[in-house]
Amino acid sequence: MFAVEEKKGDLFFRIFVQPKSSKNMVAGIHGDALKVKITAPPVDGAANAMCIKYFSKFLGVSKSSIEIVSGQTGRNKRVRVVLSDTPGDGVKRRNIVELLTSYS
């Protein structure tokens, strides 16, 4: 079951990456992860960089707010979204959780 965890204000979730796809998109759930199709090939960190770029646009946060914390060389990854404690980020946090969990 896919879930978004919150720890110390940051959000964590798992993704399953399918590289060399025809377009970047969320394609549903794969086990306990969000399935993400990425156009970049899985070489020299290109797919990881594309994941960060895609999720920054998809979630409406800066690229520096997205971090792949585990799974850099595999298809199964754990992603961290860093949000500050400003009043507007509480609303943004809820919106991100709702957006991500809408696929489960």
Side-chain angles (χ1 to χ4, degrees), residues 25-101:
M25 63 183 281
V26 173
I29 300 296
H30 181 84
D32 66 344
L34 200 60
K35 183 176 181 179
V36 182
K37 294 183 176 186
I38 298 295
T39 57
V43 293
D44 299 328
N48 290 341
M50 182 63 74
C51 282
I52 290 170
K53 182 178 178 181
Y54 174 73
F55 274 107
S56 73
K57 287 184 180 181
F58 182 70
L59 301 175
V61 298
S62 67
K63 286 191 282 186
S64 62
S65 297
I66 306 288
E67 177 186 7
I68 296 175
V69 293
S70 66
Q72 284 80 3
T73 59
R75 289 181 174 221
N76 294 302
K77 303 177 185 306
R78 186 158 186 218
V79 177
R80 175 183 178 200
V81 180
V82 179
L83 297 169
S84 65
D85 289 330
T86 60
D89 278 348
V91 172
K92 183 176 273 190
R93 183 177 291 110
R94 283 191 301 275
N95 290 341
I96 289 172
V97 170
E98 285 180 22
L99 177 63
L100 291 172
T101 56

